[in-house]
Structure formats: structure tokens, C-alpha cells
Amino acid sequence: MDPTHDDHGTPGWDAINAALVALYPGQEPRHFGTALPHTLGGNDPLDGISVYWAESPRPHWHYVTYGFSELYDKQSDDAADSGYGFELTFRLAAAPGQGPDDAPPVWPMNLLQNLARYVFSSGNVFEAGHHLDANGPIALDTDTVLRHLALVEDPQLPPRDTPNGRVRFLQVVGLADDEMAAVRRWSTQGVLDALLPAMPLWITDLQRGSLLADPALAAQVEAGSARDGSTTGLLFLETLDWAGEGDSVELVLGAGQVPGVLELLPLRLDHGHALTLLNAQRSWRFEPGEADQLEIEADSARCVLTPATLRALLDHLHAQRGVYPLPGGRLRIRVEPTQLRDAQGNVVRTVG
């Protein structure tokens, strides 16, 4: 029970505790509560985070959040889910010499609170399979290669029904650049399943290098991508625009984003799926079809490509400034340079 909460009606909290008692019988967790709850104006959305020690399959800390779900009285009108319908977990490999009597690292709690701030401020709900860029090392002031986060069902905490609705436990996993690139080319679950023998229970280890340095693992992941295609159906672009001239349309892309578009187009369209490019104002949807089509609206566009036109696009479009016409004469793509800036807004490099 949350020591910072006076109300004894804690059915959601008790249900999470029950799941963890079954996993860690007899262990008293380290619980870190919030001094000022979010509902009273505090900065931390979560009511608390509990940390458990696990010896197997390698010594690690297991962090579990309290606060995405409804811990106390039922507040929402959704009877099926409790609150946002999930809690987050995170498994961190113990440093050499660490044991159950040591204090768990604090930075994962800051990471989980930051993820909670995003959910509480945006209303966007996490699902298994989601992934995001941490925009730097997942642990600040470290040189870890892990700069991305992926979400997967916690392998030891199945979904649980509570008096306030269902709760799923989504585990946050740290990934390296090329591992996240593989996720975009294939799927979160596919890549994590392939990496599982080398990363049991998907324990995050700040000291590791990329697991795809193993040629056998890399080949397995590439084979899965070639077989299944990509589950990445949306690609956010900084530069995305278009304009019509008579019967023709010019699509504008940034050079820095062109490689990602070229990588994902065949992995989506060749498998019968669409790829949508979007920014804050507009969206452009590529679809596979038997005849080329263009449907242009003010803020959205639909572009159907035949296999032959898709091949022509892949063969001729490059991440260099210029205009690239496609067969049929109706669509051309103009590539503009992309300026990469530092934290102060200064241009540090130009692509294209």
C-alpha cells in the first residue's frame, strides 16, 4: 500500500502488489513514493515506483510503476481498462558487485517519470510494440550505446484484472541505434524475440554493445524483415510539402529523410501495406496498386504506385538535392538539403 496515501480503498494498488508477491514471494521491495501527488500539483505523475531484486537469469533490478492505472477509486467511464490500462516496468542489469542490500540506481525512476509526463500531458497511450528515440543515452551522463526505448509485454507479469479494470505490464527495453533501425525495418516483437537468447528477460545492460554485431543474429533479423516486411506504417518527416501544376504534382522531401523513406517503401508496399509520411500539417500516403493514381487534397494526399513505378522510384531517388521525375509524368520528387542543428540551433551539418 502506498505509504503517502491516507485512503484505505486501494484496490488497484493491491492488485499490482498481488502480482508482484506471486513473482517475488517474501521479498519486501524498495518503494519510492511521490512527496506531492500529481493530483495535488506535484511534478511527478506516478504515485510511486517499487524496485525488486532478481538473481535470475542474471542479477538485475526490476522497477514497477504505480500510477498509470487507477490505484484507488474508479474514476474513468471505461469499465474494461483501469486508467490508461497499463503500468510500466524496467529491468536493469546489476553492476558488478551489486547485491540486494545495495540501493537501486535512481535514473530509471527518472526515466519512467519522464515517460509518465509524456502520457499524462498528451493523453497518448503506450502499447506493446511502440518505440521511441530517447534523443541521447537513456541514462544521462553515460556513454552507453543504448539511445532508444521499445515496449514489450513484461514476460513475467501477464495482464491482470482488477476491480478497476484490466492492467497490462509493459516493459521498457533499451536498444542501440542499429537495433532500433532493425525494429523499423521489421517489428518490435520480431527483433526482441530474435535478441532474447542474448538478452534474457530483455534486461537492459548499459555496458553492452549492439547485439547485432553477432552475424548470426543480424542475419536472423534481416531474414525476418525480408519475409514479413515492416510494421512501421507512419514516418514523421521534418520536411514534407507538395504543390500541383496542372496535371502534375511535386512532392518535396528533405535529403536527411530520404534514406528512411527508401528503406521502408519496399518493406511496406511489397507486402501489401501503405506507408504514410506526415508532419504537423500534412500527410502523404503511399499505397501499392495495379495502376498509378494521385489524389491530392489540401492537407492530405494518396499516391498509389505500381510495382514498376515503385522500382523506378527506388532506383532513381537519392538523398541529394535535385528533382526526380517518376514514370508517367504526373509525379516528381524534389529533394531539398536538410540542416542538422545543435541544441543551440546552430547548423552543424548539411545533408544533401
Side-chain angles (χ1 to χ4, degrees), residues 3-140:
T4 69
H5 202 275
D6 294 328
D7 188 355
H8 293 289
T10 59
W13 194 293
D14 296 341
I16 298 172
N17 282 349
L20 291 159
V21 165
L23 182 58
Y24 298 107
Q27 182 176 157
E28 186 69 26
R30 308 283 187 91
H31 184 78
F32 298 83
T34 301
L36 183 63
H38 187 259
T39 53
L40 298 179
N43 292 323
D44 294 331
L46 300 176
D47 286 45
I49 297 172
S50 284
V51 188
Y52 291 80
W53 173 263
E55 292 284 353
S56 180
R58 60 177 295 188
H60 68 278
W61 305 100
H62 192 186
Y63 299 74
V64 182
T65 67
Y66 290 73
F68 289 101
S69 62
E70 291 168 295
L71 304 174
Y72 314 110
D73 297 332
K74 181 68 178 175
Q75 299 291 326
S76 73
D77 296 329
D78 185 353
D81 288 331
S82 175
Y84 289 109
F86 67 89
E87 293 290 349
L88 292 180
T89 75
F90 182 74
R91 297 174 188 268
L92 177 66
Q98 272 189 333
D101 294 331
D102 293 311
V106 172
W107 70 263
M109 291 181 266
N110 296 327
L111 173 67
L112 294 170
Q113 288 283 9
N114 283 334
L115 293 175
R117 291 186 188 98
Y118 165 75
V119 172
F120 277 67
S121 63
S122 69
N124 295 330
V125 177
F126 288 135
E127 300 279 356
H130 285 183
H131 50 81
L132 59 155
D133 187 342
N135 296 316
I138 63 171
L140 296 178

Side-chain angles (χ1 to χ4, degrees), residues 269-293:
L269 272 61
D270 284 349
H271 293 267
H273 304 300
L275 175 66
T276 299
L277 314 179
L278 72 163
N279 62 12
Q281 293 81 34
R282 293 181 136 187
S283 66
W284 179 285
R285 179 180 173 91
F286 284 109
E287 297 180 7
E290 298 180 356
D292 293 332
Q293 298 179 47

Side-chain angles (χ1 to χ4, degrees), residues 192-209:
L192 288 179
D193 284 345
L195 299 182
L196 186 58
M199 188 169 43
L201 287 184
W202 297 304
I203 297 168
T204 294
D205 182 357
L206 293 181
Q207 306 306 315
R208 72 171 179 85

Side-chain angles (χ1 to χ4, degrees), residues 205-226:
D205 182 357
L206 293 181
Q207 306 306 315
R208 72 171 179 85
S210 170
L211 299 177
L212 293 181
D214 181 338
L217 277 180
Q220 183 181 351
V221 168
E222 287 304 314
S225 175

